[in-house]
Amino acid sequence: MFEWLQHQLTLLVASPLYPVWKAMNDGNTRFFWVYILTGLVLTGLLYWRDREAAPTARMLFNRDNWMSVSAQNDYLIVLVSAMLRLTVLSWAFLNYNTIAIWVASVLRGIGVHGEVNDSWAVIMGLALTVTLFVVDDFIKFFGHWLMHAVPEFWEFHKVHHSAEHLNFATAERIHPAEVIFTSFLGALSIGLVNGVFIALFGDTLTVETVFGANVFLVAFNIFGGVLRHSPVWLSFGPTLERYLISPAMHQIHHSDKVEHFDKNMGGSLAIWDRMFGTHYIPKGREVDQFGIGEETTEFRKLGVIYFRPFARSFEMVKARLGRDKLGGTGNEPQTPVA
């Protein structure tokens, strides 16, 4: 018991350094240093070359973006999330390798078995890389869509949307319950894809990675991924934005205008938004401010950020159960909880 407690305390003390370590070493991190560097370069180019985007490029260095109460909460959430993930919530995160091994064993148990020779290994490795990227991107979209579509989930996702200013840390402004949920979906999807490929082609395939991340994800993030959570207006133009989510499209997603609500939920690819009817291509800079309307200022308090989602979602579940007992379907229109 003492050794376990000592280990937990050691992790707790070291956890504030965890986001820094990820920013310097992990290409899967949305504020990885390479993405920040390329984002700043793109910001400079927009400042010198794009008259419409130049004012927003200057806004990136506005004091409120980095020092407002909203921004300070971003940093605190990043630190608290690291502390929880490494200590008391470490049990809640699935290992996709465990899922992959289980899926492969089940498939082999029913007779699915294959190997790949050296001449096909590179091609099938590229196929695995593409499949992982596409499936993971869809799962991210679907999990995000659920966060908006299910009222109980939305209460937790409000934490992310309550940011009044967007900076690079806002990408990780996520309630711990949502982190666990999305991590579960991600591990499940990656484990499933890997398990199927292992069963079909053996376990020798290599995923194409850069900085430890899928090469396609890295390519997307290098071209402005970090600017999705920033005031910098970077549009890819209407043709590309039919297929790719630009920083401008994600800023539309964070806009507090009613006509922008629930739009552009995709991660990298815009095709899922087109399939689900949530696709929106801006015709110019349409965002005035970010947030969730009148409720935004209430999320300046950490108590509201961490505890209100549980209280509100519990009340919603209780109301649903009450309707069921009275003979309701549970699908009647609801007035959103203010």
Side-chain angles (χ1 to χ4, degrees):
M1 179 65 180
F2 177 75
E3 290 182 359
W4 176 87
L5 184 59
Q6 186 179 41
H7 179 66
Q8 294 299 308
L9 288 173
T10 301
L11 290 175
L12 190 63
V13 171
S15 56
L17 297 176
Y18 183 62
V20 178
W21 181 89
K22 287 183 71 67
M24 298 305 298
N25 295 278
D26 188 359
N28 290 292
T29 303
R30 286 181 282 189
F31 50 85
F32 183 50
W33 71 270
V34 173
Y35 309 149
I36 292 176
L37 180 61
T38 55
L40 291 175
V41 170
L42 286 169
T43 299
L45 291 174
L46 288 170
Y47 179 79
W48 291 107
R49 296 293 185 91
D50 190 321
R51 291 182 179 179
E52 182 185 26
T56 69
R58 288 194 296 269
M59 288 170 61
L60 178 63
F61 303 100
N62 187 293
R63 185 179 184 279
D64 284 342
N65 267 355
W66 304 98
M67 296 304 295
S68 66
V69 173
S70 176
Q72 292 174 39
N73 284 336
D74 291 348
Y75 311 141
L76 287 171
I77 290 170
V78 169
L79 290 175
V80 171
S81 293
M83 294 168 66
L84 293 175
R85 184 171 191 134
L86 292 177
T87 56
V88 296
L89 294 182
S90 59
W91 59 270
F93 296 92
L94 289 178
N95 187 323
Y96 73 84
N97 283 317
T98 303
I99 298 171
I101 293 169
W102 180 82
V103 170
S105 65
V106 169
L107 291 175
R108 285 172 174 169
I110 61 174
V112 178
H113 184 78
E115 298 290 339
V116 64
N117 58 44
D118 292 342
S119 60
W120 283 92
V122 174
I123 295 174
M124 297 315 302
L126 181 59
L128 174 59
T129 305
V130 172
T131 303
L132 281 170
F133 174 73
V134 173
V135 171
D136 182 58
D137 197 67
F138 171 73
I139 291 300
K140 286 177 180 176
F141 166 84
F142 184 65
H144 194 178
W145 179 83
L146 285 175
M147 282 290 165
H148 282 257
V150 179
E152 290 87 344
F153 289 178
W154 169 241
E155 290 301 320
F156 292 94
H157 193 52
K158 278 181 182 178
V159 171
H160 184 65
H161 278 271
S162 63
E164 299 170 71
H165 304 279
L166 301 189
N167 61 67
F168 303 153
T170 311
E172 301 298 327
R173 180 194 176 103
I174 307 172
H175 193 280
E178 182 179 345
V179 173
I180 293 172
F181 175 68
T182 55
S183 296
F184 171 80
L185 291 180
L188 204 60
S189 62
I190 293 171
L192 178 61
V193 171
N194 276 295
V196 170
F197 270 78
I198 290 171
L200 291 174
F201 309 109
D203 58 1
T204 60
L205 297 182
T206 303
V207 178
E208 298 296 329
T209 63
V210 180
F211 307 124
N214 189 299
V215 64
F216 295 104
L217 179 65
V218 172
F220 174 81
N221 282 326
I222 281 177
F223 288 99
V226 74
L227 298 180
R228 288 155 51 91
H229 293 93
S230 81
V232 181
W233 186 259
L234 173 57
S235 171
F236 294 161
T239 301
L240 276 181
E241 287 179 343
R242 285 178 53 81
Y243 306 99
L244 298 173
I245 298 290
S246 69
M249 292 173 72
H250 195 72
Q251 288 167 32
I252 288 290
H253 181 71
H254 275 271
S255 169
D256 74 341
K257 291 183 179 179
V258 175
E259 62 267 29
H260 294 157
F261 288 178
D262 303 329
K263 301 297 183 184
N264 299 337
M265 299 189 205
S268 301
L269 303 176
I271 55 177
W272 318 123
D273 280 297
R274 288 165 58 191
M275 289 171 59
F276 279 68
T278 56
H279 190 235
Y280 185 94
I281 297 178
K283 299 176 178 63
R285 187 165 185 268
E286 303 177 19
V287 180
D288 295 323
Q289 58 186 19
F290 306 110
I292 51 176
E294 295 180 0
E295 198 175 359
T296 301
T297 56
E298 297 175 27
F299 279 83
R300 293 174 182 171
K301 301 175 182 177
L302 286 177
V304 172
I305 286 173
Y306 282 105
F307 300 115
R308 178 183 288 183
F310 287 112
R312 290 283 178 87
S313 60
F314 176 75
E315 289 298 322
M316 289 179 178
V317 171
K318 191 165 67 172
R320 287 180 187 273
L321 294 176
R323 283 197 300 274
D324 289 343
K325 289 179 181 179
L326 294 173
T329 64
N331 294 317
E332 293 84 354
Q334 300 181 60
T335 301
V337 179

